[in-house]
């Protein structure tokens, strides 16, 4: 089932939003600058990752199997 996902970068320098595909590989979706927000459609059970410019993982997020919508916020 499709789920709307909002990703907001409140205070970090540029961050990258990756989707982890079925093989576990990163697929770059967006680079978000400070203050940016992106709204995308994903699916329950999909894994998303936020990384800094050095490609280091800052957060990993799995869309809940019961979710009707979801969100990720970087910073406060």
């Amino acid at each position: 089932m499709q789920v709307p996902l909002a990703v907001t970068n409140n205070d970090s320098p540029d961050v990258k939003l990756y989707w982890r595909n079925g093989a576990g590989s990163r697929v770059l979706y967006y680079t978000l600058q400070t203050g940016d927000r992106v709204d995308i459609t994903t699916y329950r059970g999909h894994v998303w990752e936020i990384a800094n410019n050095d490609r280091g993982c800052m957060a990993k997020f799995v869309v809940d199997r019961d979710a009707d919508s979801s969100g990720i916020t970087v910073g406060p």
Side-chain angles (χ1 to χ4, degrees):
M1 176 176 210
Q2 291 184 340
V3 176
L5 173 65
V7 181
T8 305
N9 180 11
N10 279 342
D11 75 346
S12 290
D14 294 357
V15 295
K16 298 187 183 312
L17 174 65
Y18 292 95
W19 168 64
R20 289 280 186 166
N21 66 18
S25 299
R26 282 179 167 176
V27 178
L28 178 63
Y29 264 67
Y30 293 99
T31 299
L32 290 89
Q33 297 177 352
T34 302
D36 283 354
R37 174 185 162 137
V38 64
D39 294 296
I40 59 177
T41 300
T42 187
Y43 292 88
R44 293 174 176 175
H46 276 193
V47 178
W48 293 88
E49 189 173 311
I50 302 287
N52 59 25
N53 281 331
D54 295 329
R55 298 193 64 202
C57 179
M58 298 171 65
K60 191 178 268 187
F61 182 83
V62 179
V63 177
D64 191 284
R65 296 223 177 254
D66 297 323
D68 291 323
S69 66
S70 200
I72 304 169
T73 301
V74 178

